[in-house]
Amino acid sequence: MERNTYYVQLEPSIMGISDVKTSENTIQYEIKATPKEKQTLEKKMNAVQKEDLSGGQILARVHDESKADHAKNEMQTEMKELYQKIYELGTPATRELFEELGIDSL
C-alpha cells in the first residue's frame, strides 16, 4: 500500500495530523504512512489527549498522590508510544531530529 506524506503536530491545543505543512511557527514532524498507519497514529494521539488532565481532574487528585502518580505514569507511557510511532514512520529528517534530541531511545 502506498505511503503518503503527513505532518504531525503534538502541541496539545493543535494536536493532529495534516497532509499539508502549516505555519513555520509550529513544530511538525514529517512522516510517511499508509492510511492504516495514519489511523493507528491518530488513535495513539487520541489516547494521549484523553490522558491529559482537565482542571477538575487535577484538583481531585491533588490529595491522592497514588492516583496522581498513576495518571502521570500512564501519560508518560502513552507519550513514549506516540513518539516511538512517529519515529518509526518518520522521514530521514524526522528520525535525525529525534536522534539529536535523544527521543529515539525513549
Side-chain angles (χ1 to χ4, degrees):
M1 185 165 268
E2 184 179 337
R3 290 179 174 225
N4 298 312
T5 300
Y6 299 101
Y7 300 91
V8 179
Q9 296 181 64
L10 296 180
E11 291 181 42
S13 62
I14 56 172
M15 187 179 283
I17 302 174
S18 174
D19 56 354
V20 293
K21 188 166 177 68
T22 59
S23 169
E24 292 294 324
N25 295 330
T26 60
I27 298 172
Q28 298 174 326
Y29 304 107
E30 185 177 5
I31 63 167
K32 297 278 190 181
T34 64
K36 185 173 176 112
E37 290 168 329
K38 179 185 176 203
Q39 184 179 30
T40 299
L41 186 58
E42 287 172 327
K43 285 180 182 178
K44 288 193 179 297
M45 293 172 79
N46 288 336
V48 166
Q49 286 181 312
K50 186 177 175 183
E51 289 296 324
D52 199 9
L53 300 175
S54 70
Q57 290 173 316
I58 292 171
L59 292 175
R61 294 180 179 173
V62 167
H63 300 292
D64 189 341
E65 289 184 29
S66 64
K67 282 185 181 178
D69 288 344
H70 179 71
K72 181 179 172 186
N73 289 338
E74 283 184 33
M75 179 64 133
Q76 287 176 339
T77 299
E78 296 288 346
M79 284 302 295
K80 284 180 186 179
E81 290 174 2
L82 179 58
Y83 277 116
Q84 182 61 39
K85 192 66 178 171
I86 294 170
Y87 180 81
E88 288 171 13
L89 298 173
T91 61
T94 296
R95 288 180 176 213
E96 183 178 328
L97 176 63
F98 273 40
E99 290 164 5
E100 287 174 9
L101 298 174
I103 298 173
D104 65 313
S105 61
L106 291 176

